[in-house]
């Protein structure tokens, strides 16, 4: 009898049934809803009017990841988080307190901080109005000339701040519901993957010539692997990916790794797979006949244990497969160990044809202690992801994605169609994202 479940779900759940270790219960929690038919109009990617609606109704109202706690370890450390016109100074104002202030002087509006760093106070570079790092007023030059100011209340306006998994989230809306409400099932799913215990070993930033949603959507489906990343097909079961959507804000995919794609028109031996999965190959220790996925899983366990100085309990699927979560509007943490990624995608200023990609890697903290978090490496116009050696083999894959994205944006401008044509299953996360986006934007 034919399995009535989506084939990706049937395949992955069968794979989990055969795991040699206990599989986290989160990986057994399947989609509770189908996003249904969603019309995605091309001009949502190209129109300035739609961008302005997104700023007003999404970016000014939604919880969004601003930085890691480890980016601002000491009191006075701060990150400037920019999205569209918004600019927030996210600062550790006390050992156990993080605040976010709108990055604009209350005198005549000058940007208070030009970038991330450390400060004992926030002094405006124009006339010297100065605030403490907790946002209270410290001094005004010629204060006698501002009789209208009550120093006790002349504080920097704040955005809301929440912390989860070692990430600092901000929300400019003072009436916003708590971060926990926004994260829905995410904390429960990550109960066994404490990302606050990881260390940010890489952070690479690049501008891409496309709308932020174009690049985001390229990272919530595996359907493009066959055309964009053909070198991965012998080791990646792209078309057997399981896709799940939950509530309004969360979705997930699980892509099987260490096995060939259905698109490969021949048998691929375990030896060939292992020779391609270079980082975990140790031929001398491989008993003949051991399936490639098990060899890779054991290799990953050894590597992680050596790095962390302790055994890290993980099932085969956590060790080998690619598991990626998405949190609306733009945050993607991966709990899996071979691809410990975090992505974030934002509009680049108010240009609907330009976006900012952040790529981070979160590794287990070494036995020797937590190293300083990697500072962002911002790639220039003449550089590619291959110029960031800290990304390893991911650089080539990301460059392949990058090469496609500008063409997508140009094609969206050129189309005469009024909606896109989305796959029912493999692009379910895109339909889910757009259903939620339309709900926020009110279109
Ligand atoms: S604009 Fe900031 S002190 Fe004048
Ligand atoms: Fe890709």
């Amino acid at each position: 009898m034919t399995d009535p479940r989506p084939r990706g779900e049937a395949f992955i759940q069968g794979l989990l049934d055969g795991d040699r270790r206990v599989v986290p219960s989160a990986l057994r929690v399947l989609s509770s809803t189908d996003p249904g038919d969603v019309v995605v109009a091309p001009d949502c990617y190209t129109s300035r009017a739609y961008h302005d609606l997104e700023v007003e109704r999404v970016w000014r109202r939604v919880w969004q990841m601003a930085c890691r706690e480890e980016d601002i370890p000491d009191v006075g450390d701060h990150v400037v988080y920019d999205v569209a016109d918004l600019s927030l100074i996210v600062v550790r104002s006390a050992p156990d307190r993080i605040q976010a202030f709108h990055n604009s002087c209350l005198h005549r509006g000058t940007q208070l901080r030009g970038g991330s760093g450390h400060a004992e106070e926030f002094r405006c570079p124009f006339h010297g109005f100065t605030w403490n790092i907790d946002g209270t007023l410290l001094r005004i030059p010629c204060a006698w000339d501002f009789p209208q100011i009550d120093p006790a209340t002349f504080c920097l306006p704040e955005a809301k701040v929440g912390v989860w998994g070692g990430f600092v989230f901000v929300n400019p809306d003072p009436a916003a519901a708590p971060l926990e409400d926004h994260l829905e099932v995410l904390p429960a799913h990550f109960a066994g993957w404490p990302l606050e215990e990881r260390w940010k070993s890489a952070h690479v930033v690049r501008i891409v010539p496309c709308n932020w949603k174009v690049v985001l959507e390229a990272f919530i489906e595996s359907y493009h692997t066959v055309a964009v990343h053909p070198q991965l097909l012998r080791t990646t079961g792209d078309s057997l990916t399981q896709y799940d959507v939950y509530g309004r804000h969360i979705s997930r995919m699980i892509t099987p790794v260490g096995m060939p794609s259905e698109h490969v028109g021949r048998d691929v031996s375990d030896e060939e797979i292992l020779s391609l999965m270079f980082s975990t190959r140790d031929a001398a220790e491989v008993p003949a006949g051991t399936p490639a996925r098990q060899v890779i899983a054991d290799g990953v366990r050894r590597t992680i244990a050596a790095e962390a100085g302790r055994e890290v309990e993980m099932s085969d699927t956590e060790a080998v497969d690619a598991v990626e979560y998405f949190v609306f509007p733009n945050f993607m943490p991966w709990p899996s160990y071979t691809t410990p990624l975090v992505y974030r995608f934002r509009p680049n200023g108010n240009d609907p044809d330009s976006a900012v990609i952040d790529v981070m890697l979160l590794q287990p903290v070494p036995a020797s202690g937590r190293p300083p978090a990697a500072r962002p490496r911002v790639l220039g116009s003449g550089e590619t992801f291959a110029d960031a050696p800290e990304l390893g083999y991911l650089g080539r894959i990301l460059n392949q994605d990058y090469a496609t994205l500008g063409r997508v944006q140009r094609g969206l401008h050129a189309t005469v169609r009024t909606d896109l044509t989305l796959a029912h299953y493999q692009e379910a996360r895109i339909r889910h994202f757009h259903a939620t986006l339309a709900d926020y934007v009110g279109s």
Side-chain angles (χ1 to χ4, degrees), residues 218-219 224 228-229 397 401:
F219 288 85
H224 69 279
V228 174
H229 310 297
I397 297 172
D401 290 309

Side-chain angles (χ1 to χ4, degrees), residues 11 15 230-238 240 256-262 264 266-283 286 289-297 300 320-321 338 393:
F11 181 81
L15 202 59
Q231 82 279 9
L232 297 179
L233 292 177
R234 284 179 289 167
T235 57
T236 307
D238 53 344
L240 293 169
V257 176
M259 55 168 284
S261 165
E262 296 176 300
V264 178
R266 62 172 176 82
D267 287 341
V268 181
S269 69
D270 283 333
E271 288 69 26
E272 186 174 351
I273 291 169
L274 290 171
S275 71
L276 292 163
M277 302 285 287
F278 52 90
S279 60
T280 55
R281 176 71 166 136
D282 188 347
V286 179
T290 307
R293 282 176 54 83
Q294 294 186 8
V295 176
I296 297 163
V300 170
V320 179
D321 297 324
T338 41
Y393 72 97

